[in-house]
Amino acid sequence: MHRRGVGAGAIAKKKLAEAKYKERGNVLAEDQIAQMSKQLETFKTHLEEFASKHKQEIRKSSQFRVQFQEMCATIGVDPLASGKGFWSEMLGVGDFYYELGVQIIEVCLALKHRNGGLITLEELHHRVLKGRGKFAQDVSQDDLVRAIKKLKAMGNGFGMIPVGGSYLVQSVPAELNMDHTVVLQLAEKKGYVTVSEIRDSLKWERERACHVLDHLLKEGLAWLDSQAAVEPQYWLPALFAELFLQDVTPEEASQMTP
Protein backbone atom coordinates (compact mmCIF):
# COMPACT_ATOMS: atom_id res chain seq x y z
CA MET A 1 0.00 0.00 0.00
CA HIS A 2 1.15 3.54 -0.72
CA ARG A 3 1.11 6.17 2.02
CA ARG A 4 -1.15 9.04 1.20
CA GLY A 5 0.67 12.30 0.75
CA VAL A 6 -0.12 15.35 2.84
CA GLY A 7 -2.75 17.38 1.12
CA ALA A 8 -2.34 21.04 0.15
CA GLY A 9 -5.05 22.00 2.63
CA ALA A 10 -3.18 20.41 5.55
CA ILE A 11 0.03 22.21 4.56
CA ALA A 12 -1.74 25.54 4.37
CA LYS A 13 -3.38 24.93 7.74
CA LYS A 14 -0.02 24.10 9.32
CA LYS A 15 1.60 27.24 7.91
CA LEU A 16 -1.27 29.38 9.17
CA ALA A 17 -0.90 27.93 12.66
CA GLU A 18 2.85 28.57 12.61
CA ALA A 19 2.28 32.16 11.53
CA LYS A 20 -0.18 32.70 14.39
CA TYR A 21 2.25 31.23 16.91
CA LYS A 22 5.03 33.48 15.58
CA GLU A 23 2.77 36.55 15.71
CA ARG A 24 1.71 35.73 19.24
CA GLY A 25 5.35 35.19 20.24
CA ASN A 26 6.30 38.60 18.85
CA VAL A 27 3.50 40.26 20.80
CA LEU A 28 4.61 38.55 24.02
CA ALA A 29 8.23 39.56 23.40
CA GLU A 30 7.23 43.19 22.83
CA ASP A 31 5.15 43.16 26.01
CA GLN A 32 8.06 41.72 27.98
CA ILE A 33 10.47 44.33 26.61
CA ALA A 34 8.03 47.13 27.44
CA GLN A 35 7.53 45.75 30.94
CA MET A 36 11.29 45.41 31.52
CA SER A 37 11.88 48.96 30.28
CA LYS A 38 9.26 50.24 32.69
CA GLN A 39 10.86 48.30 35.56
CA LEU A 40 14.30 49.66 34.69
CA GLU A 41 13.00 53.23 34.63
CA THR A 42 11.41 52.68 38.04
CA PHE A 43 14.64 51.17 39.37
CA LYS A 44 16.66 54.07 37.97
CA THR A 45 14.35 56.56 39.67
CA HIS A 46 14.78 54.75 42.98
CA LEU A 47 18.54 54.62 42.37
CA GLU A 48 18.66 58.39 41.86
CA GLU A 49 16.68 58.87 45.06
CA PHE A 50 19.08 56.54 46.90
CA ALA A 51 22.09 58.43 45.51
CA SER A 52 20.64 61.78 46.52
CA LYS A 53 19.76 60.60 50.04
CA HIS A 54 23.04 58.79 50.72
CA LYS A 55 25.45 60.99 48.77
CA GLN A 56 27.83 61.55 51.68
CA GLU A 57 27.81 57.89 52.72
CA ILE A 58 28.61 56.76 49.17
CA ARG A 59 31.54 59.16 48.96
CA LYS A 60 32.94 58.28 52.40
CA SER A 61 32.18 54.57 52.82
CA SER A 62 33.67 51.83 50.67
CA GLN A 63 30.79 49.54 51.67
CA PHE A 64 28.25 52.02 50.35
CA ARG A 65 30.27 52.51 47.15
CA VAL A 66 30.33 48.77 46.45
CA GLN A 67 26.58 48.51 47.11
CA PHE A 68 25.83 51.50 44.91
CA GLN A 69 28.08 50.33 42.05
CA GLU A 70 26.40 46.92 42.08
CA MET A 71 23.03 48.63 41.83
CA CYS A 72 24.26 50.76 38.92
CA ALA A 73 25.58 47.69 37.09
CA THR A 74 22.05 46.27 37.09
CA ILE A 75 20.92 49.01 34.72
CA GLY A 76 24.18 49.39 32.82
CA VAL A 77 25.22 52.71 34.39
CA ASP A 78 28.88 53.50 35.13
CA PRO A 79 28.96 56.02 38.00
CA LEU A 80 32.74 56.31 37.62
CA ALA A 81 32.63 57.46 34.01
CA SER A 82 34.37 60.75 33.33
CA GLY A 83 32.50 63.83 32.25
CA LYS A 84 29.83 66.03 33.79
CA GLY A 85 26.95 63.60 33.62
CA PHE A 86 24.27 63.16 36.26
CA TRP A 87 26.16 60.59 38.35
CA SER A 88 29.41 62.55 38.31
CA GLU A 89 27.70 65.74 39.47
CA MET A 90 25.42 63.93 41.91
CA LEU A 91 28.09 61.98 43.78
CA GLY A 92 31.52 63.26 42.96
CA VAL A 93 32.75 59.64 42.96
CA GLY A 94 34.60 60.30 39.74
CA ASP A 95 36.69 62.87 41.62
CA PHE A 96 37.20 60.37 44.45
CA TYR A 97 38.67 57.74 42.11
CA TYR A 98 40.72 60.32 40.26
CA GLU A 99 42.28 61.49 43.53
CA LEU A 100 42.79 57.88 44.62
CA GLY A 101 44.50 57.11 41.31
CA VAL A 102 46.90 60.02 41.86
CA GLN A 103 47.72 58.71 45.33
CA ILE A 104 48.30 55.19 43.97
CA ILE A 105 50.76 56.60 41.42
CA GLU A 106 52.57 58.55 44.15
CA VAL A 107 52.93 55.46 46.35
CA CYS A 108 54.15 53.30 43.46
CA LEU A 109 56.71 55.90 42.36
CA ALA A 110 57.99 56.30 45.92
CA LEU A 111 58.62 52.55 46.23
CA LYS A 112 59.84 51.83 42.70
CA HIS A 113 63.49 52.07 43.76
CA ARG A 114 63.12 48.97 45.93
CA ASN A 115 60.43 46.86 44.24
CA GLY A 116 61.04 47.61 40.57
CA GLY A 117 57.41 48.57 40.01
CA LEU A 118 55.63 45.58 41.55
CA ILE A 119 53.72 45.84 44.81
CA THR A 120 51.16 43.61 46.51
CA LEU A 121 47.64 44.95 46.69
CA GLU A 122 47.81 44.51 50.49
CA GLU A 123 50.91 46.68 50.84
CA LEU A 124 49.51 49.29 48.46
CA HIS A 125 46.31 49.39 50.53
CA HIS A 126 48.32 49.78 53.76
CA ARG A 127 50.40 52.64 52.39
CA VAL A 128 47.45 54.42 50.78
CA LEU A 129 45.57 54.36 54.09
CA LYS A 130 48.68 55.55 55.92
CA GLY A 131 49.08 58.45 53.51
CA ARG A 132 45.44 59.51 53.70
CA GLY A 133 45.43 60.02 57.46
CA LYS A 134 43.05 58.98 60.20
CA PHE A 135 40.08 61.15 59.25
CA ALA A 136 40.10 60.69 55.46
CA GLN A 137 37.45 58.86 53.45
CA ASP A 138 37.40 55.09 53.85
CA VAL A 139 39.24 53.21 51.10
CA SER A 140 38.92 49.47 50.48
CA GLN A 141 40.99 47.14 48.33
CA ASP A 142 38.01 47.03 45.96
CA ASP A 143 38.33 50.82 45.59
CA LEU A 144 42.01 50.38 44.72
CA VAL A 145 41.18 47.76 42.09
CA ARG A 146 38.61 50.07 40.49
CA ALA A 147 41.03 53.00 40.49
CA ILE A 148 43.82 50.86 39.00
CA LYS A 149 41.50 49.70 36.23
CA LYS A 150 40.86 53.36 35.43
CA LEU A 151 44.62 53.99 35.34
CA LYS A 152 45.13 50.94 33.13
CA ALA A 153 42.55 52.25 30.66
CA MET A 154 44.69 55.39 30.30
CA GLY A 155 47.53 53.22 28.98
CA ASN A 156 50.18 54.30 31.47
CA GLY A 157 51.61 50.88 32.30
CA PHE A 158 49.41 49.97 35.24
CA GLY A 159 48.05 46.44 35.53
CA MET A 160 47.30 43.65 37.99
CA ILE A 161 48.78 40.15 38.17
CA PRO A 162 46.81 37.49 40.11
CA VAL A 163 48.96 35.92 42.84
CA GLY A 164 47.84 33.79 45.77
CA GLY A 165 44.20 34.86 45.80
CA SER A 166 45.12 38.54 45.56
CA TYR A 167 47.06 40.72 43.13
CA LEU A 168 50.45 42.19 42.41
CA VAL A 169 50.03 45.72 41.10
CA GLN A 170 52.35 46.53 38.22
CA SER A 171 53.12 50.23 37.84
CA VAL A 172 55.75 50.09 35.09
CA PRO A 173 55.24 49.17 31.42
CA ALA A 174 57.48 46.10 31.62
CA GLU A 175 56.71 43.31 29.17
CA LEU A 176 55.45 40.46 31.36
CA ASN A 177 53.99 37.39 29.71
CA MET A 178 52.42 34.25 31.16
CA ASP A 179 55.83 32.72 31.93
CA HIS A 180 56.73 35.68 34.14
CA THR A 181 53.34 35.54 35.82
CA VAL A 182 53.58 31.87 36.80
CA VAL A 183 57.10 32.41 38.19
CA LEU A 184 55.80 35.29 40.31
CA GLN A 185 53.02 33.03 41.54
CA LEU A 186 55.55 30.32 42.37
CA ALA A 187 57.62 32.80 44.41
CA GLU A 188 54.59 34.06 46.32
CA LYS A 189 54.94 31.81 49.39
CA LYS A 190 58.63 32.37 50.19
CA GLY A 191 59.38 35.64 48.44
CA TYR A 192 62.01 34.05 46.24
CA VAL A 193 62.47 31.26 43.71
CA THR A 194 65.35 29.24 42.27
CA VAL A 195 66.00 27.71 38.89
CA SER A 196 65.64 24.21 40.34
CA GLU A 197 62.26 25.05 41.90
CA ILE A 198 61.00 26.35 38.57
CA ARG A 199 62.22 23.23 36.76
CA ASP A 200 60.70 20.87 39.33
CA SER A 201 57.38 22.67 39.75
CA LEU A 202 56.74 23.80 36.18
CA LYS A 203 58.66 21.07 34.31
CA TRP A 204 60.55 23.65 32.27
CA GLU A 205 63.94 23.36 30.64
CA ARG A 206 66.72 25.28 32.39
CA GLU A 207 67.05 27.73 29.51
CA ARG A 208 63.41 28.76 29.78
CA ALA A 209 63.65 29.33 33.54
CA CYS A 210 66.85 31.35 33.20
CA HIS A 211 65.37 33.45 30.40
CA VAL A 212 62.40 34.45 32.58
CA LEU A 213 64.54 35.18 35.64
CA ASP A 214 67.06 37.20 33.63
CA HIS A 215 64.20 39.35 32.32
CA LEU A 216 62.90 39.97 35.85
CA LEU A 217 66.42 40.99 36.92
CA LYS A 218 66.81 43.29 33.93
CA GLU A 219 63.51 45.04 34.67
CA GLY A 220 64.46 45.51 38.33
CA LEU A 221 61.62 43.28 39.50
CA ALA A 222 63.93 40.68 41.07
CA TRP A 223 67.13 40.70 43.11
CA LEU A 224 69.77 37.97 42.84
CA ASP A 225 71.30 36.41 45.93
CA SER A 226 74.27 34.60 44.40
CA GLN A 227 75.66 33.64 47.83
CA ALA A 228 72.73 31.45 48.89
CA ALA A 229 73.71 28.11 50.41
CA VAL A 230 72.54 25.68 47.73
CA GLU A 231 72.01 27.73 44.57
CA PRO A 232 71.32 31.36 43.64
CA GLN A 233 67.98 32.69 44.84
CA TYR A 234 65.91 35.21 42.90
CA TRP A 235 64.07 37.43 45.38
CA LEU A 236 60.95 39.36 44.44
CA PRO A 237 61.03 42.47 46.68
CA ALA A 238 57.31 42.99 46.11
CA LEU A 239 56.78 39.69 47.94
CA PHE A 240 59.49 40.17 50.55
CA ALA A 241 57.58 40.46 53.85
CA GLU A 242 60.46 42.06 55.78
CA LEU A 243 60.66 44.94 53.31
CA PHE A 244 56.93 45.51 53.69
CA LEU A 245 57.47 46.19 57.41
CA GLN A 246 60.05 48.90 56.89
CA ASP A 247 60.71 51.87 54.66
CA VAL A 248 63.84 51.27 52.61
CA THR A 249 65.74 54.21 51.11
CA PRO A 250 67.33 54.01 47.64
CA GLU A 251 70.78 53.88 49.29
CA GLU A 252 69.74 50.96 51.53
CA ALA A 253 68.19 49.17 48.59
CA SER A 254 71.39 49.44 46.58
CA GLN A 255 73.37 47.99 49.48
CA MET A 256 70.96 45.09 49.85
CA THR A 257 71.10 44.22 46.16
CA PRO A 258 73.82 41.59 45.57
Side-chain angles (χ1 to χ4, degrees):
M1 294 179 62
H2 296 284
R3 293 184 59 186
R4 296 179 60 185
V6 180
I11 294 175
K13 186 176 181 180
K14 181 180 179 182
K15 289 185 176 180
L16 180 61
E18 289 176 349
K20 288 184 177 180
Y21 278 124
K22 184 177 180 180
E23 181 181 356
R24 179 58 178 167
N26 290 338
V27 171
L28 289 174
E30 291 173 0
D31 289 343
Q32 289 175 342
I33 292 173
Q35 186 176 1
M36 290 176 62
S37 297
K38 185 177 180 180
Q39 290 175 345
L40 285 175
E41 285 300 318
T42 301
F43 185 82
K44 185 176 181 180
T45 300
H46 291 164
L47 188 61
E48 292 173 359
E49 293 174 355
F50 178 89
S52 179
K53 182 179 179 180
H54 299 287
K55 177 179 179 179
Q56 295 303 320
E57 289 87 344
I58 292 172
R59 294 186 63 181
K60 293 181 179 180
S61 169
S62 60
Q63 182 178 357
F64 261 90
R65 280 194 296 277
V66 171
Q67 179 184 356
F68 181 70
Q69 287 157 5
E70 289 175 349
M71 294 167 66
C72 288
T74 304
I75 59 173
V77 172
D78 182 5
L80 310 185
S82 59
K84 293 298 181 180
F86 170 80
W87 301 108
S88 179
E89 293 181 354
M90 168 69 76
L91 300 172
V93 290
D95 294 336
F96 168 81
Y97 283 99
Y98 170 77
E99 294 168 2
L100 183 57
V102 171
Q103 189 177 7
I104 289 172
I105 292 174
E106 290 174 347
V107 170
C108 290
L109 286 176
L111 299 177
K112 183 177 179 294
H113 67 273
R114 65 92 160 163
N115 61 24
L118 280 181
I119 184 173
T120 63
L121 184 62
E122 290 78 6
E123 181 180 358
L124 179 60
H125 187 216
H126 168 79
R127 294 186 181 276
V128 165
L129 290 178
K130 183 179 179 180
R132 293 177 70 84
K134 184 177 179 180
F135 301 103
Q137 291 170 277
D138 181 30
V139 173
S140 67
Q141 290 190 15
D142 181 74
D143 287 325
L144 293 181
V145 170
R146 292 177 185 273
I148 292 167
K149 287 180 178 179
K150 293 293 178 182
L151 292 173
K152 183 178 180 181
M154 295 168 62
N156 54 8
F158 271 82
M160 292 183 293
I161 303 170
V163 173
S166 184
Y167 293 98
L168 280 175
V169 178
Q170 179 184 347
S171 59
V172 292
E175 292 293 332
L176 298 181
N177 57 31
M178 186 57 66
D179 279 5
H180 303 113
T181 299
V182 295
V183 169
L184 291 173
Q185 292 171 342
L186 185 62
E188 187 263 335
K189 291 184 179 180
K190 298 188 297 182
Y192 71 88
V193 69
T194 66
V195 172
S196 295
E197 289 172 343
I198 295 175
R199 294 179 64 187
D200 293 341
S201 299
L202 304 178
K203 310 303 178 186
W204 288 1
E205 294 293 333
R206 180 180 179 84
E207 290 73 16
R208 183 178 180 183
C210 290
H211 178 74
V212 170
L213 293 172
D214 287 344
H215 181 79
L216 293 177
L217 285 174
K218 179 183 177 182
E219 295 292 340
L221 303 178
W223 295 352
L224 175 62
D225 180 3
S226 58
Q227 299 178 356
V230 180
E231 65 176 311
Q233 296 173 345
Y234 294 79
W235 286 86
L236 282 301
L239 302 172
F240 192 6
E242 284 76 8
L243 285 179
F244 174 36
L245 299 176
Q246 58 182 313
D247 291 322
V248 183
T249 65
E251 292 76 15
E252 291 170 334
S254 63
Q255 294 174 5
M256 295 173 65
T257 306

